[in-house]
């Protein structure tokens, strides 16, 4: 028990983390960014590989392949997709423990894992069907095995580094920045055998190419260069609102603000400020004492930070591979300070020196524990903010039983919380995805909408619409970069006198505390 007490403590923390991550996992409505993975995996469960490749092939495939397995085991629900993120969040915590244990010992490893697990951004992404927790896991794994090669010069570690990096690329393309960090680490830490070490990196490159080549060959055979252009667009540009979002802060310090407070009007903290400060102090400690492991971590941090700062499209989720490094550096700084307090020999000042030293140590432990509790509360707040349930599955079930094969339904003004792909996920296999569509084509909270009522009515006639789908979006919430709001859109629809049947007006959801998350199905009269 004495030998393995830190590992047992880690298991207890992992159990608590898993319980919190799984709690009410299916209540939160699916988000826009979850849908490519849920719908892509749904296509794979139905054997529609060609449609998957041509529709969602701009994403790396590993997450979708694993999600497909989870959907087949646990059923075709959003919960099954989110379980993949929970799984890799737990794997990432284990990887951070193993990595930090190798570098600084089990005490530091336990603290680092707890700090990472209570980071609000990390906990939030562990509950949604997105690539982030898988990226954090593979990023940490690549760091771990590559550091093992640098310290031991083991061919097994070298081969595994290439394998981990190759598989990591199939998890998320941005992990390619790891290759830059590898080269930088060799230049700084392997000077005595520089030529040999750089030559061995070629072996990693060969392994990576062998792992990823089949996927990119499949993309090229099915789509030519078209899908590669889509991948480039996704990596470099993003949505219409990204340039304005990415330039809110002075570029060199963008992520120093973004990692702690990404929105001015919403209390969201991907990393709680106390932990972030401790992490930066830990990085300063690394720079001061310059041990081999310190230089290695500091190099990785700087490479990732500079790389994503240079890229014009910025968002806090892009740098979540820095979260493990900040957790390890914060833990190192905490253990360093605690060691200084224990080694401290205070002079006599009324109380006995021994009692005063114990008091200082206890106070430090209380402050460190309070930091973790505060971060946990931040994680709760960040998660609770998105605990919104929109009855998409209930509305879809109703539509599925009330639409004939030649009828359709249209979502009016789709947004991050409501779009056609969300309805299509719940449609039965015998219905065409084209029976659910949206107008305008793009999300009104991310792209400037052009709502033309004449065009809308014409499309409803052309596509034989039976119901239009209205959402309790917020009556006077203006759409992106415009003064148009939902009330104005509803007024335009009402003034046509072509919508609404008093005998057929189903709605789903609830309204309480002046907030509503309801869906209204309104008949189109033709």
């Amino acid at each position: 028990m004495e030998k393995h007490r830190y590992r047992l403590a880690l298991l207890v923390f992992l159990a608590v983390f898993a319980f919190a991550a799984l709690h009410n996992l299916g209540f939160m409505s699916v988000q826009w960014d979850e849908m490519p993975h849920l719908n892509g995996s749904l296509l794979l469960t139905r054997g529609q590989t060609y449609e998957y490749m041509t529709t969602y092939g701009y994403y790396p495939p590993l997450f979708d392949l694993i999600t497909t397995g989870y959907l087949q085991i646990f059923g075709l629900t959003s919960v099954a997709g989110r379980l993949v993120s929970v799984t890799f969040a737990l794997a990432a915590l284990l990887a951070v423990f193993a990595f930090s244990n190798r570098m600084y010992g089990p005490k530091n490893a336990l603290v680092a894992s707890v700090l990472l697990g209570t980071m609000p951004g990390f906990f939030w992404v562990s509950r949604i069907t997105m690539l982030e927790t898988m990226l954090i896991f593979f990023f940490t794994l690549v760091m771990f095995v590559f550091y093992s090669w640098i310290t031991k010069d083991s061919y097994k570690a070298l081969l595994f580094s290439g394998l981990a990096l190759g598989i990591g690329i199939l998890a998320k393309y941005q992990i390619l920045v790891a290759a830059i960090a590898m080269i930088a680490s060799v230049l700084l830490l392997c000077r005595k055998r520089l030529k040999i070490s750089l030559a061995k990196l070629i072996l990693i490159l060969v392994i990576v190419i062998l792992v990823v080549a089949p996927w990119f060959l499949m993309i090229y055979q099915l789509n030519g260069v078209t899908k590669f252009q889509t991948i480039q667009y996704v990596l470099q540009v993003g949505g219409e609102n990204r340039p304005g979002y990415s330039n809110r802060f002075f570029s060199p310090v963008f992520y120093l603000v973004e990692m702690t407070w990404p929105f001015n009007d919403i209390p969201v903290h991907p990393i709680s400020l106390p932990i972030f400060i401790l992490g930066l102090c830990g990085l300063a400690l690394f720079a001061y004492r310059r041990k081999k492991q310190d230089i290695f971590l500091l190099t990785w941090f700087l490479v990732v930070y500079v790389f994503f700062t240079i890229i014009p499209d910025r968002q806090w989720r892009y740098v979540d591979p820095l979260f493990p490094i900040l957790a390890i550096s914060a833990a190192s700084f905490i253990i360093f300070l605690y060691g200084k307090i224990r080694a401290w020999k205070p002079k006599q000042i009324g109380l006995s020196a021994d009692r005063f030293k114990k008091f200082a140590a206890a106070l430090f432990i209380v402050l460190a524990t309070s930091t973790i509790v505060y971060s946990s509360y931040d994680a709760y707040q960040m998660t609770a903010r998105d605990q919104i349930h929109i009855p998409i599955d209930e509305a879809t079930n109703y539509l599925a039983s009330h639409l004939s094969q030649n009828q359709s339904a249209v979502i009016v003004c789709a947004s991050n919380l409501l779009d056609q792909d969300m309805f299509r996920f719940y449609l039965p296999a015998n219905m065409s995805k084209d029976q659910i569509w949206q107008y305008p084509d793009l999300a009104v909270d991310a792209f400037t909408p052009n709502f033309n009522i004449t065009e809308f009515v014409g499309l409803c006639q052309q596509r034989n619409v039976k119901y239009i789908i209205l959402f309790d979006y917020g009556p006077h919430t203006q759409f992106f970069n415009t003064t148009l709001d939902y009330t104005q859109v509803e007024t335009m629809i009402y003034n046509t006198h072509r919508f609404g049947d008093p005998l057929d007006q189903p709605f789903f959801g609830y309204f309480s505390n002046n907030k509503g998350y309801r869906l209204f199905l309104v008949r189109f009269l033709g």
Side-chain angles (χ1 to χ4, degrees):
M1 291 293 292
E2 180 69 18
K3 181 180 179 181
H4 297 290
R5 65 183 186 277
Y6 293 109
R7 289 178 173 84
L8 291 173
L10 175 68
L11 291 177
V12 172
F13 175 72
L14 291 177
V16 173
F17 179 90
F19 175 80
L22 293 171
H23 177 68
N24 225 2
L25 189 62
F27 180 80
M28 184 181 76
S29 291
V30 288
Q31 309 228 347
W32 188 289
D33 288 340
E34 291 185 88
M35 296 320 302
H37 307 297
L38 288 173
N39 277 323
S41 301
L42 183 63
L43 290 175
L44 290 175
T45 61
R46 295 172 177 172
Q48 297 172 276
T49 307
Y50 177 80
E51 187 174 354
Y52 167 77
M53 291 290 296
T54 54
T55 307
Y56 301 110
Y58 56 89
Y59 279 105
L62 184 60
F63 188 92
D64 293 347
L65 291 173
I66 296 176
T67 304
T68 300
Y70 275 58
L71 291 178
Q72 291 175 329
I73 295 171
F74 300 106
L76 303 179
T77 66
S78 60
V79 173
R82 289 170 175 171
L83 284 175
V84 181
S85 294
V86 176
T87 301
F88 278 93
L90 294 170
L93 293 173
L94 286 169
V96 166
F97 182 88
F99 187 30
S100 187
N101 184 37
R102 169 69 63 86
M103 285 184 156
Y104 302 109
K107 185 185 296 184
N108 186 294
L110 177 62
V111 176
S113 297
V114 171
L115 291 176
L116 177 62
T118 56
M119 285 183 181
F122 179 82
F123 183 76
W124 184 81
V125 297
S126 73
R127 291 172 51 87
I128 55 177
T129 313
M130 292 169 63
L131 306 175
E132 270 60 37
T133 57
M134 184 177 282
L135 171 64
I136 292 172
F137 167 71
F138 278 106
F139 184 86
T140 306
L141 183 64
V142 170
M143 289 174 64
F144 183 21
V145 295
F146 190 72
Y147 177 76
S148 299
W149 172 69
I150 285 180
T151 53
K152 294 185 176 181
D153 195 19
S154 164
Y155 267 103
K156 184 183 294 185
L158 182 67
L159 294 173
F160 197 63
S161 296
L163 185 61
L165 181 58
I167 298 175
I169 292 172
L170 297 179
K172 194 166 184 180
Y173 298 133
Q174 285 86 342
I175 204 174
L176 274 170
V177 69
I180 303 173
M182 286 178 172
I183 296 172
S185 299
V186 168
L187 292 175
L188 289 172
L189 299 174
C190 303
R191 295 178 184 176
K192 294 181 179 179
R193 48 188 175 91
L194 185 59
K195 290 184 179 180
I196 298 175
S197 298
L198 288 175
K200 289 180 179 179
L201 289 181
I202 297 175
L203 181 58
I204 292 180
L205 177 62
V206 171
I207 296 172
V208 168
I209 292 174
L210 291 175
V211 172
V212 304
W215 168 248
F216 288 108
L217 286 173
M218 288 175 64
I219 292 177
Y220 180 76
Q221 287 180 345
L222 291 174
N223 297 280
V225 298
T226 303
K227 196 61 69 177
F228 290 104
Q229 293 171 347
T230 305
I231 294 172
Q232 183 180 3
Y233 169 80
V234 171
L235 292 176
Q236 293 184 354
V237 182
E240 181 180 328
N241 62 342
R242 292 291 174 83
Y245 181 90
S246 300
N247 294 312
R248 293 170 302 140
F249 313 123
F250 181 53
S251 293
V253 299
F254 178 89
Y255 282 115
L256 294 179
V257 180
E258 178 76 2
M259 282 192 282
T260 55
W261 199 292
F263 304 107
N264 295 327
D265 57 338
I266 301 176
V268 172
H269 310 280
I271 302 179
S272 294
L273 190 58
I275 290 181
F276 189 67
I277 293 173
L278 288 171
L280 294 180
C281 290
L283 293 175
L285 175 65
F286 292 167
Y288 172 74
R289 67 187 183 187
R290 294 190 296 277
K291 293 181 180 179
K292 193 168 188 176
Q293 57 267 46
D294 298 338
I295 295 173
F296 181 79
L297 285 175
L298 194 59
T299 302
W300 280 78
F301 180 88
L302 291 174
V303 167
V304 174
Y305 187 93
V306 171
F307 180 86
F308 285 103
T309 297
I310 293 173
I311 291 178
D313 187 11
R314 303 184 188 96
Q315 215 250 28
W316 70 263
R317 288 192 287 111
Y318 299 167
V319 294
D320 52 25
L322 295 180
F323 287 17
I325 301 175
L326 287 169
I328 295 173
S329 64
S332 298
F333 189 69
I334 290 172
I335 300 301
F336 170 79
L337 289 180
Y338 185 69
K340 290 294 183 182
I341 292 175
R342 293 198 62 177
W344 180 38
K345 296 181 180 179
K347 296 180 180 179
Q348 197 77 10
I349 54 172
L351 291 172
S352 69
D354 186 58
R355 290 179 63 189
F356 185 78
K357 181 178 175 180
K358 289 181 179 179
F359 174 77
L363 180 62
F364 179 81
I365 293 173
V366 169
L367 291 175
T369 304
S370 300
T371 297
I372 294 172
V373 172
Y374 177 78
S375 184
S376 301
Y377 178 69
D378 259 2
Y380 165 77
Q381 281 196 315
M382 185 172 177
T383 305
R385 179 181 67 92
D386 286 333
Q387 284 298 101
I388 296 169
H389 179 71
I390 302 173
I392 297 173
D393 50 345
E394 295 95 321
T396 306
N397 290 334
Y398 182 89
L399 290 171
S401 61
H402 287 77
L403 293 180
S404 62
Q405 289 295 325
N406 65 337
Q407 291 177 322
S408 71
V410 55
I411 301 167
V412 178
C413 299
S415 65
N416 181 55
L417 295 175
L418 188 75
D419 79 328
Q420 59 194 11
D421 286 335
M422 299 173 188
F423 280 82
R424 290 169 177 174
F425 178 73
Y426 294 104
L427 280 178
N430 63 341
M431 290 189 69
S432 168
K433 68 176 185 179
D434 294 329
Q435 290 186 255
I436 303 290
W437 54 287
Q438 62 195 34
Y439 182 89
D441 290 334
L442 301 175
V444 296
D445 57 352
F447 298 86
T448 304
N450 178 23
F451 192 95
N452 186 309
I453 188 63
T454 303
E455 180 186 45
F456 177 64
V457 173
L459 288 172
C460 287
Q461 291 177 312
Q462 179 183 332
R463 305 186 70 163
N464 196 20
V465 165
K466 183 175 182 179
Y467 292 106
I468 65 171
I469 304 168
L470 300 178
F471 174 46
D472 231 338
Y473 182 82
H476 300 294
T477 302
Q478 294 181 345
F479 303 147
F480 178 76
N481 200 27
T482 181
T483 58
L484 187 68
D485 59 32
Y486 219 94
T487 298
Q488 296 174 44
V489 169
E490 290 179 331
T491 300
M492 285 189 280
I493 292 173
Y494 175 78
N495 288 338
T496 65
H497 304 292
R498 305 182 69 169
F499 297 88
D501 181 350
L503 301 178
D504 188 8
Q505 296 187 129
F507 74 92
F508 309 88
Y510 64 93
F511 186 87
S512 63
N513 298 326
N514 206 32
K515 292 183 178 180
Y517 302 108
R518 297 176 295 180
L519 295 178
F520 299 88
L521 303 185
V522 179
R523 280 292 296 268
F524 175 55
L525 304 178

